[in-house]
């Protein structure tokens, strides 16, 4: 019976067929061992001359790393092997043997070499584990929001105007209509959709032409953006907190072996099931200044500040109430303190930085228009967006969760480039 490697423990003492790629081989007396990977898991294969034809026995020695093969054998209990089982092989069919040695070996390679070979690097155990966890994070987000009655919808990638500010837009010519931009965020369209459908979310690529060369920045990343009519900032904080807990719980429950492959300290992930820490921007300034920084109201919190905050707390930290002048035009001013907005950033523990950013939206047309002007943005392209305030404007809120940053934190990955199949960064567009 054809079987996926991950299912082998359910077929003890049965004869099965598995298909996959050769890992490493070793000899021990008259026995030969080999690992086989099929995408679902890795299994140890045991070859002995008694079980195979002479031809098959001879062809074993020709197998190189990443040769593709079809194997049949009997599943045996072997607590010392990965997955707790091994396969005693009784037939070996070779599909293809590489002509050259596989470039990504088990020894250490530099990041540049690995990124150039990203199309092959994704086959390695840790990279595949990260990509499976990435899938689980997406599933967790969808299952959580779907359960709560959100509608998944789509917003355009080609857009006529900026959403987050004009400094980091990718521009491209669009027929006779002039320049258009790759979307930085689907939010403005998300707001229109929330007025049509109530509670919505989108899951799209977002593009930022930032010249940031850090372990947290991609020029193309995936963002999940919920937008909710009638939600205020506090309801949104509650929603984000339950969502993040659900994501982490689902990864702990269903990705145990992948987290193990990544040597992730899962106790750090379990800690976040406690209530999240909340501090205002002003409290964050005092907290940071007590620790040797010299920040004034209006200063941006830099990456090092976020790391310091994140490393000093076991749970994620919400920072709310940033200065209005530093924040996007659509964020609602706080009636009790108009110098700040009703926003939130969520800082992951262990120094992984900001994973979520969002706010309550300004629902008053006149305030919105003057905020847009303060930001030096033209009014005309936003006329359609103003309509949302002209026709039945209601309080509403939303946020964006960066998929790769969330995955990097859950996996404990050193760099965001490992958390997307084919990363796009300042100096990297290949493969
Ligand atoms: O904080 P940001 O810029 O917020 C927005 O775009 C809002 N319009 C979202 C909304 O309210 N609907 O981005 C949201 C998240 C960040 O917290 C971060 O996780 C991720 O997107 N992000 C990036 N991830 C990777 N590389 C980059 N260059 C990123 N920029 C933002
Ligand atoms: Mg942000």
């Amino acid at each position: 019976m054809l079987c996926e490697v991950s299912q082998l423990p359910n077929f003890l003492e049965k004869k099965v067929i598995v298909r996959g790629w050769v890992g490493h081989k070793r000899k021990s007396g008259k026995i030969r061992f080999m690992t086989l990977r099929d995408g679902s898991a890795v299994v140890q294969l045991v070859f002995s001359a008694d079980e195979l034809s002479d031809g098959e026995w001879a062809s074993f020695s020709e197998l190189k790393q990443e040769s593709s093969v079809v194997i049949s054998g009997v599943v045996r209990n072997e607590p010392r092997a990965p997955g707790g089982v091994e396969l005693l092989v009784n037939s070996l069919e070779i599909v293809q043997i590489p002509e050259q040695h596989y470039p990504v070996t088990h020894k250490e390679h530099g990041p540049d070499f690995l990124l150039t070979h990203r199309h092959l690097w994704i086959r390695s155990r840790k990279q595949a584990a990260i990509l499976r966890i990435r899938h689980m994070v997406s599933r967790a987000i969808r299952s959580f929001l779907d359960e709560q009655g959100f509608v998944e919808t789509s917003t355009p990638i080609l857009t006529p105007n900026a959403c987050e500010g004009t400094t980091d837009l990718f521009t491209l010519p669009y027929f006779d209509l002039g320049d258009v931009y790759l979307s930085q965020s689907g939010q403005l369209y998300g707001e229109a959709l929330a007025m049509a459908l109530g509670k919505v979310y989108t899951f799209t690529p977002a593009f930022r032409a930032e010249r940031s060369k850090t372990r947290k920045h991609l020029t193309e990343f995936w963002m999940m953006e919920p937008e909710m009519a009638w939600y205020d900032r506090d309801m949104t904080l509650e929603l984000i907190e339950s969502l993040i807990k659900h994501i982490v719980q689902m990864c702990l429950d269903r990705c145990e072996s992948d987290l193990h492959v990544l040597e992730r300290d899962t106790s750090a992930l379990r800690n976040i099931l406690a209530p999240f820490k909340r501090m205002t921007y002003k409290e964050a300034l005092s907290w940071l200044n007590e620790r040797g920084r010299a920040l004034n109201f209006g200063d941006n919190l830099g990456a090092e500040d976020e790391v310091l905050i994140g490393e000093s707390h076991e749970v994620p930290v919400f920072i709310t109430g940033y200065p209005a002048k530093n924040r996007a035009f659509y964020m609602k001013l706080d009636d009790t303190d108009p110098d700040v907005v009703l926003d939130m950033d969520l800082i992951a523990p262990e120094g992984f930085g900001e994973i979520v950013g969002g706010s309550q939206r300004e629902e008053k047309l006149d305030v919105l228009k003057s905020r847009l002007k303060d930001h030096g943005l033209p009014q005309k392209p936003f006329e359609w967006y103003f309509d949302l305030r002209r026709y039945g404007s209601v309080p509403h809120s939303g946020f964006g969760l960066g998929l790769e940053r969330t995955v990097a934190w859950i996996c404990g990955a050193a760099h965001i480039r490992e958390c997307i199949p084919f990363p796009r960064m300042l100096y990297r567009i290949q493969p």
Side-chain angles (χ1 to χ4, degrees), residues 175-334:
F175 306 111
D176 300 331
L177 300 181
D179 282 345
V180 298
Y181 312 102
L182 294 181
S183 172
Q184 298 166 308
S185 154
Q187 181 196 318
L188 305 185
Y189 297 97
E191 289 182 51
L193 287 157
M195 299 306 128
L197 299 161
K199 291 188 293 188
V200 299
Y201 68 98
T202 58
F203 219 144
T204 59
F207 301 87
R208 305 276 167 103
E210 280 167 295
R211 302 195 76 84
S212 310
K213 193 171 179 265
T214 78
R215 62 194 181 92
K216 292 180 185 136
H217 285 87
L218 294 165
T219 53
E220 175 180 329
F221 63 98
W222 283 73
M223 185 160 35
M224 189 280 300
E225 293 183 275
E227 192 70 33
M228 301 79 63
W230 307 106
Y231 269 54
D232 64 13
R233 197 254 314 262
D234 289 345
M235 294 163 76
T236 308
L237 291 170
E238 292 298 325
L239 180 72
I240 298 170
E241 181 162 341
S242 341
L243 169 67
I244 298 290
K245 286 182 171 153
H246 177 80
I247 296 171
V248 169
Q249 189 67 61
M250 228 166 122
C251 290
L252 285 170
D253 291 348
R254 304 196 192 191
C255 296
E256 205 188 334
S257 60
D258 288 323
L259 290 166
H260 181 75
V261 165
L262 296 169
E263 296 165 55
R264 180 66 168 115
D265 170 13
T266 50
S267 67
L269 292 176
R270 277 194 187 88
N271 283 338
I272 75 116
L273 302 171
F276 290 3
K277 169 92 183 154
R278 294 182 187 190
M279 52 167 94
T280 63
Y281 164 85
K282 288 177 184 168
E283 287 164 350
L285 288 189
S286 328
W287 188 94
L288 287 161
N289 288 344
E290 279 162 24
R291 281 155 187 83
R293 302 279 289 137
L295 295 163
N296 296 309
F297 184 84
D299 290 345
N300 275 321
L301 303 188
E304 347 54 291
D305 300 317
E306 283 178 4
V307 168
L308 189 58
I309 292 172
E311 281 180 342
S312 311
H313 295 89
E314 289 196 332
V315 290
V317 181
F318 279 117
I319 303 183
T320 59
Y322 278 83
K325 71 174 181 56
N326 307 12
R327 301 299 256 180
F329 75 94
Y330 52 73
M331 292 189 176
K332 185 173 170 59
L333 298 179
D334 187 341

Side-chain angles (χ1 to χ4, degrees), residues 327 345 354 357:
R327 301 299 256 180
D345 272 1
E354 178 201 325

Side-chain angles (χ1 to χ4, degrees), residues 31 88 94 138-139 154 177 236 263 282 304 319 323 337 393:
I31 309 273
L88 184 59
I94 294 172
S138 302
R139 273 182 67 183
S154 308
L177 300 181
T236 308
E263 296 165 55
K282 288 177 184 168
E304 347 54 291
I319 303 183
D337 180 359
S393 190

